[in-house]
Amino acid sequence: MQQGLFGDESVAQNCIFCKIIAGKAPAHILYQDEQVLSFLDISPVSAGHSLIIPTNHHDNIFSLSGEEITAVALHAKRLAPVVKRVTKSPGLAIHQLNGRAAGQTVFHYHMHLIPCQHDTPKQLHGRRAASQSALAELAVEIRQALTKA
C-alpha cells in the first residue's frame, strides 16, 4: 500500500503537507521526528492553532496504521499543554476531520490543536492568513517551551 516516504508519490506531489515535510513549502515547524511533524496553521482560528501530521501520506484516519495514529496522539498529548500554556488559553480544542462531508479541506490526515478563549466563537478553520512574523515569533516560543516540557 505505501510507496516511498509519502505513500502514493503522485498524491504526495500535490499535497501541501507532503511538500512541507519534504522542505519544499514553508511552514513554522514546532516539532519533527521520523513519524510526525507539527507546525502552526497559516490561517489560524486563534494564536497557537497547530497541526500535527504523520510523515507518511494518508488521506484520512482510515488508512493510518496503529503505530502512526499512536505517534500523532502521543505528540498531541505532549504539544497540547505547551500550546495552551504559551498562548495563556483557558481551553484547547482538538479536532480531526475525515472526508469532505466532515469538513476536511486538506487531504493529508491531520489533527488540529486550537487554543480557546471564553466568549469567542468556536470554529475549525481560520478565514485569514496570519502575519508571518507573528507566526515565526510564536513558533520560536512554542519550540522553546516544548524542549522544556
Side-chain angles (χ1 to χ4, degrees), residues 69-79:
I69 192 68
T70 299
V72 170
L74 288 172
H75 183 56
K77 181 167 176 45
R78 181 174 177 227
L79 181 60

Side-chain angles (χ1 to χ4, degrees), residues 15-30 32 37-43 51 53 106 129-133 135-136 139 143:
C15 173
I16 187 61
F17 289 173
C18 288
K19 289 177 182 178
I20 290 170
I21 293 165
K24 295 180 180 178
H28 296 282
I29 295 174
L30 304 174
Q32 183 171 12
L37 173 74
S38 59
F39 53 97
L40 293 175
D41 193 308
I42 61 167
S43 295
L51 302 174
I53 63 173
V106 176
S131 153
Q132 289 299 306
S133 60
L135 288 173
R143 279 194 303 270

Side-chain angles (χ1 to χ4, degrees), residues 17 21 30-33 35-41 48-56 58 64 68-81 83 92-97 106 108-114 146:
F17 289 173
I21 293 165
L30 304 174
Y31 176 83
Q32 183 171 12
D33 64 22
Q35 294 183 299
V36 299
L37 173 74
S38 59
F39 53 97
L40 293 175
D41 193 308
H49 180 168
S50 305
L51 302 174
I52 303 172
I53 63 173
T55 55
N56 285 322
H58 294 277
L64 280 170
E68 289 168 312
I69 192 68
T70 299
V72 170
L74 288 172
H75 183 56
K77 181 167 176 45
R78 181 174 177 227
L79 181 60
V83 170
L92 185 120
I94 298 177
H95 299 281
Q96 198 281 306
L97 310 169
V106 176
H108 182 123
Y109 174 87
H110 58 286
M111 181 180 289
H112 295 259
L113 278 61
I114 304 172
L146 193 55

Side-chain angles (χ1 to χ4, degrees), residues 2-18:
Q2 291 287 316
Q3 299 172 340
L5 177 63
F6 305 115
D8 180 343
E9 294 299 328
S10 63
V11 171
Q13 289 175 351
N14 296 316
C15 173
I16 187 61
F17 289 173
C18 288

